[in-house]
Amino acid sequence: MTKEEIWEMTLPRYLRNDIEAYVKGVEENSSLLDCLWGEVYGSINSALYSYVISDEQARFLRKKYLGINLEDDEHVD
C-alpha cells in the first residue's frame, strides 16, 4: 500500500465527505462544481491548519482532486 493510499484512508470524515461529493459532482456534471470544488479546497486547508494532515498530504490532495500543483510555483524566481 502506498503512502498516498494510506493518507486517503485516514482523512478526517468531513474532508472525505467533501471529496466524495466533489467526485460525484464531476461524474454527474453537476452545475454546483464550483461550490463543491471550493468545499474541498476549504476542507483541505482546514485539515492542514488544524494539523490533521501534513503539507505534503495537502499538496497531494490539491493536485489529485483540484488540479492544483503548488510545487510549480515554488520554483518561479
Side-chain angles (χ1 to χ4, degrees):
M1 189 173 269
T2 67
K3 68 180 176 182
E4 290 84 1
E5 291 171 327
I6 293 169
W7 287 344
E8 290 203 72
M9 290 174 52
T10 59
L11 292 175
R13 186 75 242 166
Y14 65 90
L15 181 50
R16 273 191 280 162
N17 288 344
D18 288 343
I19 288 171
E20 289 167 4
Y22 179 70
V23 169
K24 184 177 178 183
V26 169
E27 290 169 354
E28 296 175 353
N29 198 26
S30 172
S31 63
L32 301 174
L33 277 182
D34 58 335
C35 297
L36 296 169
W37 188 97
E39 288 294 320
V40 173
Y41 188 82
S43 290
I44 290 170
N45 286 343
S46 178
L48 173 64
Y49 294 115
S50 298
Y51 304 102
V52 177
I53 64 173
S54 69
D55 185 59
E56 186 181 11
Q57 287 172 286
R59 288 174 186 271
F60 163 75
L61 293 169
R62 287 186 194 115
K63 185 175 181 179
K64 179 176 180 179
Y65 292 105
L66 305 177
I68 299 173
N69 189 5
L70 296 178
E71 294 164 358
D72 291 344
D73 295 338
E74 290 178 352
H75 303 294
V76 176
D77 293 306

